[in-house]
Amino acid sequence: MGRGRVTLKRIENKINRQVTFSKRRSGLLKKAHEISVLCDADVALIVFSTKGKLCEYSTDSAMERILERYERYSYTEKQLNTTHHETQGSWSLEYAKLKSRIELLQKTQRNLMGEELDSLSLKELQNLEQQLDTALKHIRLRKNQLMLESISQLQKKDKEMQDQNNSLSKQIKEMEKEIPIHHQKHEIKPSFQLDILDNRNICEEARMDCEVEKNPRQNQIATVMPPWMVQHMNK
Amino acid sequence: MGRGRVTLKRIENKINRQVTFSKRRSGLLKKAHEISVLCDADVALIVFSTKGKLCEYSTDSAMERILERYERYSYTEKQLNTTHHETQGSWSLEYAKLKSRIELLQKTQRNLMGEELDSLSLKELQNLEQQLDTALKHIRLRKNQLMLESISQLQKKDKEMQDQNNSLSKQIKEMEKEIPIHHQKHEIKPSFQLDILDNRNICEEARMDCEVEKNPRQNQIATVMPPWMVQHMNK
DNA sequence: ATATCTATCTATAACGA
DNA sequence: TTCGTTATAGATAGATA
């Protein structure tokens, strides 16, 4: 850039270094903002100058949110162990950190629950909407997975019972033959027949809800919880 | 860069956006590294793509150190307002309390974002689903309210300008009558005509988004970087 | 997605005020 | 330190493989 090729090496001249820093810093911030807008990315940029001056940029000015996202993404567990080792340090600082963190979490959570939306910009609202849409999709997938599992369990159980019933009724027939007393014949037409049909229907519905995924709004299928499921599902 | 000037607006074409993201991301990382080396600065850069992929750079690969430095720097100010009044008492107890509270909040939040669903029962999932459905409804209401407000503001402004333009052109006509010099007639065809059309389009889009809920990501709004952001970000 | 190429558009080093 | 200017080095959009 400019006169002469750039060498990737610390600029020794203090003045030049400061000037270059100032210029490149604005360039960097601009680029960060551009990629954020053009490509719809979440960007957090923190720059400390040699002299310790801080300069930052973050998408939607949501530095804390992005840093939290980062922490969650890269090492969820680590942070739980990192704070206590600074025991001799200023507790008050740690305390303040935690407290403001809680505040942030609470605010975020309220927003996630559709509350206190007045302070949000249009863009933030759209991000939130997208976030929740995705979340709902995941939740519905998981829900359907659970339902399908329970259905196949029930079907398996059904089959076992049917077999058992068959063998039992066979056994009874044998007994009737061997002891030909004039008893009435027991009509063995168990009710499980009906259950099987029910399960098949439910199963198909669940599959549709699970796989189609086209328009999430359309599949709202206010899933009514079948009574039979309540019993078995809760672990 | 390249053919045609860059417009600071979300790239709508998904492919182009992804490609541009990829290219600019490496450019941004390079710039971050350069300023870090050339100017001896501490830099931390975090980028999440639209699809949630993480990409990071940090001076000396010391992301944690820099983020802590950042937190220390930015919390120092808050500390003054939050801590001094609780000087005695067992810090460790308070601290533990806060920490467990944070963990709870984080778990809840992850669930709200559709993550870590495996530990939830079917019933809990259904509650969550309903919660998010309601939240989404509120958010969409608020979003549309905002959009409609901005639309009516724009329309009002339009009308004002139209009136103003009308009176101005009337004034000009008067002047031309009174001073009948052989000037060319100024074609008064103000541009507000176009503005009106634009607003109507926006309005319709908003209504569609409002009722049909198509693809929320499509309606991103071009955000121009305010000048104050480029320079002097931090004081 | 990744790489290369090219025409253009940007960023910026050096310098001066 | 901070502009403004200018000559160049760099970055990158679009096309293509």
Side-chain angles (χ1 to χ4, degrees):
Chain A
M1 318 123 176
R3 333 287 179 82
R5 185 178 237 84
V6 167
T7 319
L8 203 51
K9 181 179 178 308
R10 194 180 112 116
I11 297 171
E12 291 306 336
N13 181 299
K14 206 173 151 188
I15 305 298
N16 281 347
R17 191 187 334 138
Q18 173 53 37
V19 172
T20 295
F21 176 75
S22 193
K23 288 179 175 178
R24 279 179 175 265
R25 185 190 54 192
S26 23
L28 189 60
L29 290 174
K30 188 179 171 192
K31 291 276 183 199
H33 180 62
E34 284 178 354
I35 198 176
S36 170
V37 173
L38 290 174
C39 308
D40 195 30
D42 245 7
V43 179
L45 173 62
I46 294 169
V47 182
F48 285 102
S49 74
T50 309
K51 295 184 304 183
K53 204 177 129 193
L54 168 66
C55 179
E56 61 182 292
Y57 168 80
S58 56
T59 303
D60 297 331
S61 303
M63 180 62 84
E64 279 306 311
R65 179 181 62 72
I66 297 173
L67 293 188
E68 295 226 344
R69 185 177 178 188
Y70 173 78
E71 306 244 314
R72 218 178 329 115
Y73 193 105
S74 63
Y75 63 123
T76 313
E77 304 310 321
K78 201 174 165 188
Q79 73 179 114
L80 298 177
N81 311 323
T82 47
T83 39
H84 61 72
H85 69 75
E86 315 175 37
T87 37
Q88 84 289 10
S90 71
W91 280 99
S92 55
L93 178 60
E94 286 301 315
Y95 190 78
K97 271 164 84 170
L98 287 197
K99 248 176 106 169
S100 60
R101 186 139 179 208
I102 282 185
E103 273 172 46
L104 180 68
L105 279 169
Q106 285 179 327
K107 165 129 182 48
T108 311
Q109 198 150 111
R110 280 193 290 269
N111 286 339
L112 281 171
M113 304 205 296
E115 299 162 6
E116 273 181 34
L117 303 175
D118 285 353
S119 60
L120 300 185
S121 71
L122 183 58
K123 177 142 192 214
E124 288 168 320
L125 284 172
Q126 287 186 329
N127 288 340
L128 192 56
E129 184 182 4
Q130 160 96 23
Q131 165 81 72
L132 289 192
D133 246 349
T134 311
L136 259 183
K137 204 156 46 176
H138 288 162
I139 287 162
R140 289 179 172 139
L141 274 174
R142 171 66 185 158
K143 198 183 71 178
N144 284 306
Q145 189 190 348
L146 277 190
M147 294 175 94
L148 287 173
E149 276 170 15
S150 113
I151 285 162
S152 55
Q153 267 193 353
L154 285 175
Q155 285 178 330
K156 193 177 152 199
K157 202 169 161 191
D158 259 1
K159 190 153 182 302
E160 287 171 2
M161 293 191 66
Q162 195 176 348
D163 291 348
Q164 203 177 353
N165 278 352
N166 283 341
S167 85
L168 284 179
S169 60
K170 225 178 252 173
Q171 215 176 322
I172 288 177
K173 265 187 190 164
E174 296 298 325
M175 287 171 69
E176 284 178 337
K177 262 187 204 164
E178 302 203 9
I179 312 169
I181 305 179
H182 41 282
H183 277 151
Q184 298 183 33
K185 255 174 129 182
H186 295 275
E187 260 294 324
I188 313 278
K189 207 147 206 176
S191 59
F192 59 70
Q193 196 89 21
L194 230 161
D195 289 336
I196 286 167
L197 286 176
D198 278 348
N199 278 347
R200 287 208 178 121
N201 285 340
I202 288 164
C203 187
E204 258 169 50
E205 276 176 29
R207 287 241 171 70
M208 282 170 54
D209 193 30
C210 178
E211 287 161 17
V212 176
E213 286 300 330
K214 282 176 192 162
N215 185 345
R217 293 314 265 177
Q218 301 261 327
N219 314 342
Q220 285 299 313
I221 301 185
T223 322
V224 179
M225 179 146 62
W228 53 265
M229 190 168 275
V230 180
Q231 306 287 329
H232 301 270
M233 288 307 296
N234 247 309
K235 253 226 223 84
Chain B
M1 316 118 178
R3 333 287 177 83
R5 186 177 239 84
V6 169
T7 320
L8 202 52
K9 178 180 178 315
R10 194 180 108 116
I11 297 170
E12 291 304 335
N13 181 299
K14 205 173 152 189
I15 304 298
N16 283 346
R17 180 164 12 113
Q18 173 54 37
V19 173
T20 294
F21 176 75
S22 199
K23 289 179 174 180
R24 278 178 175 264
R25 186 189 52 194
S26 43
L28 188 60
L29 291 175
K30 187 179 171 194
K31 291 275 184 196
H33 180 59
E34 284 179 355
I35 197 176
S36 170
V37 173
L38 290 173
C39 310
D40 195 29
D42 246 8
V43 179
L45 173 62
I46 293 169
V47 182
F48 285 100
S49 74
T50 308
K51 293 185 305 184
K53 207 178 124 195
L54 168 66
C55 179
E56 61 182 292
Y57 169 81
S58 56
T59 303
D60 300 329
S61 303
M63 181 61 85
E64 272 317 299
R65 181 181 59 71
I66 299 173
L67 291 189
E68 284 189 14
R69 185 178 177 187
Y70 172 78
E71 301 254 309
R72 229 178 308 127
Y73 194 106
S74 61
Y75 278 117
T76 310
E77 295 145 19
K78 274 191 191 174
Q79 179 190 5
L80 301 176
N81 315 322
T82 45
T83 51
H84 55 76
H85 57 91
E86 318 175 39
T87 36
Q88 79 294 32
S90 69
W91 280 103
S92 53
L93 181 60
E94 287 299 314
Y95 189 78
K97 271 193 197 167
L98 288 196
K99 243 170 86 172
S100 62
R101 187 145 172 218
I102 283 184
E103 276 176 53
L104 180 64
L105 280 169
Q106 284 182 325
K107 165 124 182 54
T108 312
Q109 196 151 114
R110 280 193 288 270
N111 287 338
L112 281 171
M113 305 205 298
E115 300 163 6
E116 275 183 31
L117 302 175
D118 285 354
S119 60
L120 300 185
S121 70
L122 182 59
K123 189 153 183 199
E124 287 169 321
L125 283 173
Q126 286 190 327
N127 288 340
L128 193 55
E129 182 183 6
Q130 200 162 27
Q131 165 82 72
L132 290 192
D133 243 351
T134 310
L136 259 183
K137 214 162 22 185
H138 287 162
I139 287 161
R140 287 176 173 142
L141 273 176
R142 172 66 185 157
K143 195 184 75 176
N144 286 305
Q145 189 190 349
L146 273 191
M147 294 176 97
L148 289 174
E149 273 171 17
S150 107
I151 286 161
S152 57
Q153 267 193 351
L154 284 176
Q155 285 177 331
K156 191 179 154 201
K157 200 170 160 193
D158 258 3
K159 191 152 180 304
E160 287 172 2
M161 293 191 66
Q162 195 175 349
D163 291 348
Q164 201 178 352
N165 278 348
N166 283 342
S167 84
L168 285 178
S169 61
K170 225 176 254 174
Q171 214 175 322
I172 288 175
K173 265 187 191 163
E174 296 298 326
M175 288 169 68
E176 282 179 340
K177 262 187 206 163
E178 304 202 9
I179 311 165
I181 305 176
H182 41 286
H183 279 148
Q184 300 182 29
K185 255 175 116 183
H186 298 276
E187 261 294 324
I188 313 282
K189 205 145 206 176
S191 58
F192 59 69
Q193 195 90 19
L194 231 161
D195 290 334
I196 287 167
L197 285 177
D198 279 346
N199 277 345
R200 291 216 174 112
N201 285 341
I202 289 164
C203 187
E204 258 170 49
E205 276 174 29
R207 290 246 168 67
M208 281 172 57
D209 192 33
C210 172
E211 291 155 17
V212 181
E213 292 297 339
K214 288 178 175 172
N215 186 345
R217 291 316 253 178
Q218 303 256 326
N219 318 330
Q220 296 281 339
I221 289 177
T223 317
V224 179
M225 175 148 66
W228 53 263
M229 189 171 275
V230 182
Q231 311 260 345
H232 306 292
M233 287 292 307
N234 219 289
K235 216 185 331 169

